[in-house]
Amino acid sequence: ISDFKSPEAKNLYKQYLQMKNKLLQSQKELEEMRDKFGNANETQKKEMSPSIINLENKVAQSIQEIKDEQKAIRNKEILYLNK
């Protein structure tokens, strides 16, 4: 964080770190759900499927948001340095 010169880029980087941690938690939760799904009976699988799909979509969306955040951080820092 101390490498950033732009205060705005520093704040965005802090948000990025929080987003990354949430993503890692969601990925771990998804992995656990998939493991349970593999050992479940058909009824349980039908009940679990919507939750797994929902979390998969959330993870995919989070990955894209993190990429966008990385780009925003770089752009803010570049703009600040080019003043």
Side-chain angles (χ1 to χ4, degrees):
I1 293 179
S2 61
D3 291 343
F4 291 104
K5 305 298 181 212
S6 164
E8 197 171 354
K10 283 182 187 181
N11 288 333
L12 288 174
Y13 186 72
K14 289 176 186 175
Q15 290 175 3
Y16 162 80
L17 291 176
Q18 291 173 346
M19 292 169 69
K20 188 113 171 151
N21 285 334
K22 286 181 184 178
L23 173 61
L24 292 173
Q25 289 172 351
S26 293
Q27 288 174 321
K28 183 178 179 182
E29 181 183 351
L30 182 57
E31 184 179 331
E32 291 169 0
M33 289 174 75
R34 287 175 173 160
D35 287 343
K36 288 179 185 177
F37 184 87
N39 296 323
N41 63 40
E42 289 303 313
T43 305
Q44 292 170 326
K45 286 181 179 182
K46 286 180 183 178
E47 292 173 2
M48 295 173 71
S49 290
S51 298
I52 291 173
I53 291 169
N54 186 33
L55 190 53
E56 286 174 338
N57 291 334
K58 180 181 169 186
V59 166
Q61 182 180 356
S62 294
I63 290 170
Q64 185 58 50
E65 289 172 357
I66 286 172
K67 288 178 183 178
D68 294 343
E69 190 75 6
Q70 289 172 325
K71 185 175 180 180
I73 292 166
R74 287 191 302 271
N75 288 340
K76 291 292 180 187
E77 186 70 5
I78 290 167
L79 286 174
Y80 184 83
L81 294 173
N82 289 331
K83 282 186 179 178

